[in-house]
């Protein structure tokens, strides 16, 4: 992914790998663009499955004048 989505992803992945110390956890990426979407909004949704099978998640959506890196950080910290 390029542009805003790529910057959100890069920031979130960096926080998960470095700040949280999860360097070896596999990360899968799914990039989606809605064909009938309107407007220029964006967001990021992260989820993880724990060793016990519990699902946890974090997310962030674009607000006026927000930075892609701030969205990636918010979602990763929620996770």
């Amino acid at each position: 992914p390029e542009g805003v989505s790529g910057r959100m992803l890069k920031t979130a992945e960096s926080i998960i790998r470095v700040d949280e110390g999860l360097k070896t956890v596999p990360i899968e990426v799914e990039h989606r663009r809605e064909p009938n979407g309107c407007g220029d909004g964006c967001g990021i949704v992260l989820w993880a499955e724990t060793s016990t099978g519990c699902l946890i998640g974090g997310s962030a959506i674009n607000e006026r004048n927000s930075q892609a890196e701030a969205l990636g950080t918010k979602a990763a910290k929620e996770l």
Side-chain angles (χ1 to χ4, degrees):
E2 298 178 8
V4 173
S5 62
R7 292 179 10 234
M8 285 189 292
L9 171 63
K10 184 176 179 182
T11 302
E13 186 174 8
S14 174
I15 289 170
I16 291 166
R17 297 226 181 271
V18 177
D19 293 359
E20 301 302 324
L22 302 172
K23 294 179 182 174
T24 60
V25 172
I27 295 177
E28 296 177 30
V29 176
E30 182 178 321
H31 182 253
R32 212 176 257 195
R33 183 185 243 350
E34 295 299 324
N36 297 323
C38 60
D40 57 358
C42 63
I44 183 171
V45 177
L46 307 173
W47 62 89
E49 185 174 353
T50 68
S51 59
T52 60
C54 181
L55 294 175
I56 56 175
S59 63
I61 56 172
N62 187 28
E63 295 177 11
R64 188 174 298 274
N65 299 322
S66 61
Q67 297 293 315
E69 294 79 7
L71 297 174
T73 297
K74 180 180 183 298
K77 293 291 186 180
E78 265 188 22
L79 184 64

